[in-house]
Structure formats: C-alpha cells, structure tokens
Amino acid sequence: MSGLLDGRRLLITGVISESSIAYAVARLAQEQGARVVLTAYGRPSLVRRVARRLPHEAPVVDLDVTDEEQLASLAERVGSHLDGLDGVLHAVAHAPASCLDGGFLAAPWPDVAGTFHTSAYSLKALAVACRPLLRPGSAVVGLDFDASRAWPGYDWMGVAKAGLEACARYLARDLGPAGVRVNLVAAGPLRTLAARAIGGDGAGFEQDWAARAPLGWDPADTEPAARACLALLSDWFPATTGEIVHVDGGHHVMGA
C-alpha cells in the first residue's frame, strides 16, 4: 500500500478522538502520501489537539454540516489550505437520546428530523459544498452501518442510515458525469463515540458479532474500516460508485 494516496488532497470530517474511524483514515492517509484537512464541529480546540497527534499536523476548518452559511464558505476555506480536493470523507452522524435505545415509537418529529439532517442529508450537503474543489477522478466516501436490519438500540439512527445509503446512490448518479465517485463503508460495531448506541448492552452485542462473523471481529480495531476508506479514496476503484463495502468480518452474509 506504500504511496497509495501520493499527491491526493483529502477533506476528512468526524475526527473527534484517536479512537474514531476518521482519525485512523487521516493517519493512514498521511502515511500513504495524502495532504489532509480536518473539519471540527462544536469543540474545535479538541480537534486541533487531536490533529497535532497525526504524523503531520493537519489544518482544521470549522464545519457544522447543518449550517448553510458554513457550507457555502467551505470550499473557500478549504481552498486556503489545498488547491483542490481528490477525496472527501463523510464521518458525521448524530441522534438525540430520544431517537435511540427504545425510543422509536415515542421520538418527536423535530428530533427525528435533526437526526436525518445531520446523518443522511448532510452527505449531499457536504458533497455539494465541496463540489467546486472536486476534480474528475475524485471520491466521496461515507461511513455507514448496515441499514438492512433493525438493530437493538439503533432505532431512528438505523432509519437515517437507510436514508444515507439511498442518498449515496443518488449522489453517485448525479456526480458520476463529473467523474466523482460516491461510496460507503459499512463497518461492524466499533468502540467509538458514534457507535455507543448500537447493540444495547454493548459487550454482548460485540461478542455475538465476533462469534457470527466468519473472519471474527475486533471492536477495538478501526484500521480495517479505515483501510477500506483509503482504497475507495484512492484511484484504485476508478469504475466503482454507488457501492456499499462491508467491513464487518463477513457478519452481513450470515443467515439468522
């Protein structure tokens, strides 16, 4: 994999701690020759501290993916650090507590709407905001969790992930003529801040997943999912778009 991303310029969202998939993507991307810019929401000083732990300190731009003004200025702000983009990682998702952990029937519409806005619609919003910087051969990659099943505790986030998957297909259709690929990576359960709601009791869910996955599964290891993201952000999949790549130890192929 040496030099897989040589010369490529990436915008990476969702870096909040060293345990995040997005951090692993940023680290590996730099090791593979990419130039990286990170985004920060809510706690920019924290993201800047994490950015200093990368092999090369990455610049950080503020971004709330639900803020139209910030989206409108994103290309200009990223452009002050990079002269274009070859890839964008969408690693953004959020649901209020009311939408998780058994709240499916009771969650109010404003909370559900916010979940969709942040976790699904934002893929389109981010891609459009970055479009002035994207060149033919570039890639948009989003982080997913298998939306084909109803998972314990996931509730409206699971529905939002189904929306994310549909959004990626339509983006692939509409950005394809410009030479931009759009794909998702559906990772198994990982011990990240974003994944704490999946599976209810956590440990039991992870153990069941590892037992059922043909390749096994380590919920503490974000690198397999990050490597898949890197491959899709590289130029090694020039004719693949609208795809969901499962990085889950093979769990999704197993019957009940």
Side-chain angles (χ1 to χ4, degrees), residues 79-177:
S80 68
H81 300 286
L82 300 172
D83 57 357
L85 282 175
D86 302 288
V88 177
L89 180 74
H90 178 276
V92 180
H94 174 73
S98 63
C99 293
L100 301 167
D101 197 24
F104 184 80
L105 297 179
W109 168 243
D111 289 357
V112 173
T115 300
F116 272 93
H117 194 174
T118 304
S119 308
Y121 179 83
S122 64
L123 177 66
K124 189 280 299 186
L126 179 64
V128 170
C130 293
R131 193 173 182 184
L133 297 175
L134 293 169
R135 65 170 183 82
S138 59
V140 176
V141 175
L143 297 183
D144 188 21
F145 189 79
D146 185 6
S148 66
R149 305 183 190 183
W151 300 105
Y154 214 38
D155 294 345
W156 281 106
M157 181 59 80
V159 181
K161 288 297 186 183
L164 179 77
E165 293 177 0
C167 183
R169 289 189 287 270
Y170 281 94
L171 268 179
R173 179 197 68 183
D174 288 355
L175 297 183

Side-chain angles (χ1 to χ4, degrees), residues 49-100:
R49 285 200 298 272
V50 175
R52 290 194 286 270
R53 298 171 192 156
L54 291 167
H56 308 283
E57 183 176 352
V60 178
V61 298
D62 292 341
L63 179 63
D64 176 350
V65 291
T66 68
D67 186 314
E68 294 297 329
E69 291 185 3
Q70 288 194 15
L71 288 165
S73 66
L74 181 63
E76 180 181 358
R77 291 184 289 121
V78 173
S80 68
H81 300 286
L82 300 172
D83 57 357
L85 282 175
D86 302 288
V88 177
L89 180 74
H90 178 276
V92 180
H94 174 73
S98 63
C99 293
L100 301 167

